[in-house]
Structure formats: structure tokens, C-alpha cells
Amino acid sequence: MTTAILALFGLLMIVVGLMMLRPRRAATAPSPWLSAATARHLLPRLAALGLGVGLLSGFFGIGGGFLIVPGLILATDMDMPEATSAPLIAVTAFGIASASSYAWSSLVDWPVAGLLIAGGVAGAVLGAKANARLARLAGQKGMLARMFAWFVMAAGVYVGARGVLTVLEA
């Protein structure tokens, strides 16, 4: 059963990537920032996005971060930097709460956690440097979103293929 869910998750990743490649709405769209002026337009979209991400996260047993960014881009027409910053605050809060619970329950393999944290910090530093060098890509409207979409689809093909192959071998 888990391998079938893995195959479905790969398919979901491909669908999310394809949705991100769709052309963006016209520049006349309302501001992507939630305010009293945009609430009537954005609140229903954001509520639907939250419900959808929550359902999919619960079903697949994943964090919603990978779904939130494309969802915000599609629902609010945010640019990639805006769409990635808002969920980071929420993910940090949820991560601290979850990590604390696991740590207090003595379920953390600290050497592995330490390696993952060190790798994450090193990757963040290298990613920030690459972002600064590739800033001209950010200037090209939607280039980062398209790159992310292709990455999500490639990962989806890999995850889906692993799930399908495991199902076929059983």
C-alpha cells in the first residue's frame, strides 16, 4: 500500500510542476499581499489552498512546504521569493514543535540529526551564494518558478517510478 502511495505522490509532484509552468495571470491582478483591500479576493483562495495542502499532507504523510510554494504562486500570483518566505515562517514553527516532541521522546538519532543540520547549513550558504550570482535569472520574470517546476517534475518522475517499480516487483 505504501508503494502505491509513493507512486501517487510522484504523480502529484508532476501535476504540481505542470501547473507551475502555466502562464501567469495578467499584471492587472490584485496585490498578492493579504490586506483589507485584497481579503475578499484572496481569503477564499488561501483557505482552499490551506485545506488542500492539509489534506494532501495528511494523506501522503509529508510536510506541506513543497505544496505551499506552488500553491501560493497559483492562488495569489506571488513571485517565487514572496511565495517561499511566508511558508518558511510556518514551517519553522511547525518544525520546532515537532522536533521538540521527538527529542523529548528520545526518538532522535543525534549524530544523524547533526549531519543533516550541518548539510542543511552548508547547502543554505552555497544556495545563497548561487542565488546572488544568478540574480539575473531572478530578473527574468518567472525563471526561478520554472526552474523549480522542472525540478519538482523530475523528482516526481523519480519518486513515481520507484513506487511503480516496487508495486510491479511485488
Side-chain angles (χ1 to χ4, degrees), residues 22-43:
R22 291 185 327 177
R24 306 272 306 261
R25 286 187 282 280
T28 59
S31 167
W33 295 94
L34 186 59
S35 66
T38 62
R40 184 173 183 203
H41 172 75
L42 290 179
L43 278 178

Side-chain angles (χ1 to χ4, degrees), residues 44-134:
R45 290 174 173 225
L46 292 171
L49 171 65
L51 178 65
V53 167
L55 286 170
L56 291 170
S57 294
F59 179 75
F60 289 113
I62 59 164
F66 125 82
L67 296 170
I68 290 271
V69 172
L72 283 173
I73 290 170
L74 294 170
T76 67
D77 226 15
M78 284 183 176
D79 288 327
M80 181 67 97
E82 295 169 326
T84 55
S85 63
L88 282 175
I89 300 299
V91 167
T92 299
F94 300 148
I96 289 171
S98 297
S100 299
S101 172
Y102 284 113
W104 286 324
S105 300
S106 299
L107 297 173
V108 176
D109 182 343
W110 289 106
V112 170
L115 288 171
L116 290 172
I117 291 168
V121 169
V125 169
L126 292 173
K129 287 182 179 187
N131 187 359
R133 288 193 178 146
L134 299 174

